[in-house]
Amino acid sequence: MPHRPHLRKIALPSWLPLDGFILGLIGTVALAALLPVSGRAATVTDGATTVAVAFLFFLYGARLSTREALDGVRHWRLHLTVLVCTFVVFPALGLAARGLVPYVLTHPLYTGLLFLCLVPSTVQSSIAFTSIARGNVAAAICAGSFSSLLGVVVTPVLAALLLGGSGGGFSADSMVKIGLQLLAPFLAGQLLRRWIGGFISRHRAVLRLVDRGSVLLVVYAAFSEGMTRGIWHQVTPARLAILLGVEAVLLTVMLTLTSYGSRKLGFVREDRITIVFAGSKKSLAAGLPMASVLFGAQASLAVLPLMLFHQMQLMVCAVLARRYAARAPEAAVTGAETGAEAARARTDSEDRADSADSADDAALTRV
């Protein structure tokens, strides 16, 4: 078999608490603050963003294997638990946080916090954390697939129902726009998967760069819009610190609920680990493009809570995963490692890294 060279990953120093993609996001925000686009350049950037988001969701559809999700139907209690955590418990907590406005959070920051509670769970990072913690890796693959598939439809619908006018004015026209820009490319990717799946599998590293570039373009356009409109004057360092505190409480509550709730529901240890990591996390890769469609000019503040929560969940869950691994019985360790190898073999034909979440492997190895 001919040898195919792989792109070499650049490892960041072990003492650096941020993964490379997060550093890229921070750099993009800084660039938008220093050199925001306006006028005709902004129009061109908005058009490029629209195309990038549609192409991003086309790639999601083309490489997300529904077969893997269907194979895991026998774990329906586990998958239902994860979906309830992602699309019911999280939104309920987001609605409860409405009481923090305006004394703790401003209304725009609360809107972003509520949107964060509506996006689907991650795929790659849930699998990676579950594997390190010696959990049920195959179930994590299925749970992430189910969440991603449903999130394309459920997240916009929940946003339309719960955010109302604060999401940039939801209407029948905006829902059509969502369908054309998000759902239609996703379905097209699913339909063409049988013909282009092999190409995508052979060029995963290159397409991952396309994923990240698309997300960075969305961030740049959103934050540039915020700079030109002057909305960043609404956010002070004190408000950011308060937002971080609120999100730390949100993550703690979800980790606690998934841990104790899964135990009360009678799940075995490996399944409990899967529920903890898949049910408490949110996808930056899926959330950013959706926000650009849902919020338009208000997207810059809307995505800020999601960006902060993403980095927080990586750091906290990395530590938690290693603690689970350290407490795992010898039999559980052996069985989980075997299951992880089997799961990797079964998913060799698909790209298990969804855009920004592909950076999670590096974060895990450094904690």
Side-chain angles (χ1 to χ4, degrees):
M1 175 177 289
H3 174 71
R4 288 201 299 264
H6 296 280
L7 295 180
R8 184 180 297 275
K9 298 178 75 173
I10 300 176
L12 294 172
S14 59
W15 49 265
L16 197 62
L18 301 174
D19 61 63
F21 188 72
I22 292 297
L23 291 178
L25 289 173
I26 294 174
T28 302
V29 171
L31 179 63
L34 295 174
L35 298 172
V37 292
S38 59
R40 181 173 297 179
T43 302
V44 174
T45 302
D46 289 341
T49 301
T50 300
V51 174
V53 169
F55 184 62
L56 190 62
F57 274 79
F58 173 80
L59 289 179
Y60 287 165
R63 72 185 178 204
L64 185 59
S65 173
T66 54
R67 177 185 58 81
E68 196 67 53
L70 294 176
D71 288 345
V73 170
R74 63 188 181 90
H75 295 294
W76 66 269
R77 289 183 64 246
L78 183 149
H79 303 316
L80 181 60
T81 301
V82 171
L83 291 176
V84 168
C85 290
T86 303
F87 296 118
V88 177
V89 179
F90 252 116
L93 292 175
L95 289 174
R98 180 66 178 83
L100 301 177
V101 181
Y103 306 104
V104 178
L105 296 175
T106 62
H107 194 275
L109 288 180
Y110 168 71
T111 299
L113 180 70
L114 180 55
F115 173 71
L116 143 71
C117 294
L118 306 182
V119 301
S121 178
T122 60
V123 178
Q124 168 64 13
S125 58
S126 296
I127 298 168
F129 285 127
T130 300
S131 178
I132 288 178
R134 317 301 184 186
N136 188 336
V137 178
I141 295 172
C142 297
S145 299
F146 276 131
S147 183
S148 296
L149 286 168
L150 290 178
V152 176
V153 177
V154 174
T155 296
V157 170
L158 287 177
L161 293 175
L162 301 182
L163 290 173
S166 62
F170 287 101
S171 62
D173 291 339
S174 64
M175 293 304 295
V176 170
K177 181 180 178 182
I178 291 168
L180 292 176
Q181 196 171 346
L182 302 182
L183 185 58
F186 179 85
L187 293 177
Q190 283 278 289
L191 292 174
L192 295 176
R193 175 179 167 78
R194 60 178 298 183
W195 293 285
I196 65 176
F199 175 85
I200 289 178
S201 297
R202 291 191 301 271
H203 298 85
R204 285 182 293 181
V206 176
L207 292 177
R208 192 172 302 141
L209 295 178
V210 175
D211 285 349
R212 297 181 183 183
S214 300
V215 173
L216 292 178
L217 178 60
V218 169
V219 172
Y220 178 72
F223 278 79
S224 289
E225 183 76 21
M227 290 298 299
T228 56
R229 290 176 176 266
I231 63 175
W232 280 104
H233 295 297
Q234 305 173 25
V235 183
T236 64
R239 289 289 187 183
L240 286 178
I242 291 173
L243 176 62
L244 280 172
V246 171
E247 293 192 339
V249 172
L250 176 64
L251 180 59
T252 301
V253 170
M254 286 306 303
L255 288 171
T256 303
L257 288 177
T258 52
S259 177
Y260 287 97
S262 59
R263 185 183 299 273
K264 291 294 185 181
L265 290 173
F267 287 100
V268 297
R269 181 184 186 277
E270 291 77 14
D271 289 347
R272 293 200 303 269
I273 290 173
T274 301
I275 292 171
V276 166
F277 291 115
S280 65
K281 302 175 88 274
K282 290 294 183 176
S283 174
L284 182 72
L288 287 177
M290 287 182 181
S292 71
V293 178
L294 296 172
F295 294 97
Q298 289 76 40
S300 53
L301 279 183
V303 300
L304 180 61
L306 179 59
M307 292 173 62
L308 295 177
F309 189 84
H310 175 79
Q311 181 61 26
M312 184 184 299
Q313 71 184 10
L314 290 186
M315 299 174 70
V316 172
C317 289
V319 174
L320 185 61
R322 295 193 178 278
R323 289 184 178 178
Y324 269 118
R327 297 197 301 264
E330 185 64 28
V333 171
T334 304
E337 289 176 344
T338 302
E341 293 173 358
R344 281 191 291 269
R346 291 165 57 198
T347 57
D348 188 53
S349 62
E350 68 180 41
D351 185 7
R352 288 165 47 188
D354 66 327
S355 190
D357 293 329
S358 62
D360 295 350
D361 285 336
L364 291 175
T365 60
R366 294 195 296 273
V367 178

